[in-house]
Amino acid sequence: MSERIQALHALRAFEVASRYGSFTRAAEELALTQGAVSHHIKTLEALFGCDLFERRGPKLSLTEHGRLLAQELKVGFKIIENACALLRQDRYGLRLKAPSTLTVRWLLRALDAFKKVEDNCSVQLSSVWMDIDSVDFYSEPYDCAILLASGRFPADIESFKLFDEWLIPVCHPDYMTQVQPQLSDLPRCEFLHPSPDRRDWRRWLARMDALDISIDQGQVFDTLDQGISAAQQGLGISVVDLVLASTDLAAGRLVTPFKHAVATGDGYYMTWLKASPKARQMHKLRDFLLGQVPPLAYKDINYLYG
């Protein structure tokens, strides 16, 4: 039994070291010395008769055998953690990760409505800024996440699309005086970019066959929410997600000077591990959120697929 326990400790040390690519960081997480982690790895390599890491100076990289072992251990230790978590905390509650703009513009209201009708499933929301939406359920403390993505997820992830991303330019009602401006008017406007790579304007203009319009000028922001706020203040024209701007459009705080919404091929997906013991709660939350998505009932807007 003692040998089995020691082997389990060694496997845990290897799994953590494989994630970080560092014995030092693994030692910090496990409250061990770097020498102890190194000893655990050598024990496993002797046991399996193969190298698990390639050591090139201070840099570590997994061998093919190491990658195979790390992949399986990552799943195995997560199953153990989930089993223990059910006894340590609210076994019916969900820990949800979501991008900050989605949270501010839609999710907070939806979760408030969920709380009023569902007593047996609490949701602890963590709103996180992510340049590219991602989650690692094996190392991050979440049961589920809502991500802007293409829909291609690993085989161990369950996913369900809540709504598609439709991009459309918006501005303050007084910003453009013309009732129906032309694309040729855009170069004279101040561009507002919701992300540093300016990808949203580039995607929209590509679908309009107008990539000859320069988007090098204008204010650059970190989030879609900042771009929307700047547009509301009359500082220029931003490209936004139609669903996330729907409340401001309905209230007249924003208008759509160009009546073309472009589908990017991405969407907001609710995701979780297929092996999660909280799958029933996940389905309950997913079904409710689907009913909270506002309909895209804009008669004057043309919906164009990319």
Side-chain angles (χ1 to χ4, degrees), residues 174-216:
D174 296 334
Y175 184 77
M176 299 190 79
T177 56
Q178 290 178 265
V179 176
Q180 184 61 57
Q182 304 297 315
L183 281 176
S184 58
D185 297 319
L186 265 178
R188 297 193 296 274
C189 298
E190 181 76 6
F191 285 101
L192 303 174
H193 300 283
S195 61
D197 61 7
R198 308 171 192 244
R199 61 180 177 265
D200 290 341
W201 266 116
R202 192 174 296 109
R203 280 173 152 181
W204 189 83
L205 287 171
R207 186 61 181 82
M208 296 296 104
D209 294 322
L211 282 176
D212 56 319
I213 296 177
S214 173
I215 56 173
D216 292 337

Side-chain angles (χ1 to χ4, degrees), residues 9 11 24 32 41 63 84 86 119 136 176 198 222 234 237 260 294 300 305:
H9 289 323
L11 289 170
T24 301
L32 299 173
I41 304 304
T63 64
C84 296
L86 288 175
D119 296 329
D136 185 345
M176 299 190 79
R198 308 171 192 244
D222 289 325
I237 301 181
H260 300 290
D300 59 339
Y305 287 93

Side-chain angles (χ1 to χ4, degrees), residues 90 92-93 113-123 284:
D90 179 6
Y92 300 109
F114 181 71
K115 180 174 63 177
K116 293 174 181 176
V117 300
E118 183 54 60
D119 296 329
N120 297 322
C121 183
S122 61
V123 180
K284 184 179 294 187

Side-chain angles (χ1 to χ4, degrees), residues 172 175 189-192 219 221 229-237:
H172 187 275
Y175 184 77
C189 298
E190 181 76 6
F191 285 101
L192 303 174
Q219 293 290 319
F221 302 99
S229 296
Q232 287 176 344
Q233 296 176 54
L235 302 181
I237 301 181

Side-chain angles (χ1 to χ4, degrees), residues 31-209:
L32 299 173
T33 65
Q34 182 178 347
V37 172
S38 179
H39 177 73
H40 280 314
I41 304 304
K42 289 178 181 177
T43 298
L44 291 177
E45 290 179 330
L47 177 64
F48 298 132
C50 63
D51 291 337
L52 299 175
F53 286 99
E54 293 180 354
R55 300 165 177 82
R56 297 174 180 173
K59 294 189 65 176
L60 288 175
S61 59
L62 288 168
T63 64
E64 186 60 35
H65 290 100
R67 278 191 291 273
L68 185 63
L69 180 62
Q71 177 181 324
E72 297 302 318
L73 288 178
K74 190 177 185 182
V75 176
F77 279 114
K78 185 61 179 180
I79 292 173
I80 294 172
E81 289 172 7
N82 283 340
C84 296
L86 288 175
L87 300 180
R88 286 200 310 265
Q89 61 189 350
D90 179 6
R91 67 186 64 187
Y92 300 109
L94 296 176
R95 297 164 298 173
L96 171 64
K97 178 183 183 181
S100 55
T101 294
L102 179 80
T103 296
V104 172
R105 294 285 162 180
W106 175 71
L107 189 55
L108 280 176
R109 292 191 301 273
L111 290 180
D112 184 63
F114 181 71
K115 180 174 63 177
K116 293 174 181 176
V117 300
E118 183 54 60
D119 296 329
N120 297 322
C121 183
S122 61
V123 180
Q124 179 184 332
L125 172 64
S126 294
S127 176
V128 182
W129 179 84
M130 295 176 279
D131 182 32
I132 302 297
D133 291 6
S134 64
V135 65
D136 185 345
F137 290 117
Y138 297 101
S139 62
E140 297 182 68
Y142 306 113
D143 299 304
C144 52
I146 299 177
L147 307 173
L148 178 63
S150 65
R152 294 185 291 270
F153 295 99
D156 59 342
I157 298 296
E158 189 77 37
S159 66
F160 194 91
K161 184 163 63 178
L162 298 174
F163 57 90
D164 289 306
E165 180 185 46
W166 290 90
L167 296 180
I168 193 167
V170 297
C171 64
H172 187 275
D174 296 334
Y175 184 77
M176 299 190 79
T177 56
Q178 290 178 265
V179 176
Q180 184 61 57
Q182 304 297 315
L183 281 176
S184 58
D185 297 319
L186 265 178
R188 297 193 296 274
C189 298
E190 181 76 6
F191 285 101
L192 303 174
H193 300 283
S195 61
D197 61 7
R198 308 171 192 244
R199 61 180 177 265
D200 290 341
W201 266 116
R202 192 174 296 109
R203 280 173 152 181
W204 189 83
L205 287 171
R207 186 61 181 82
M208 296 296 104
D209 294 322

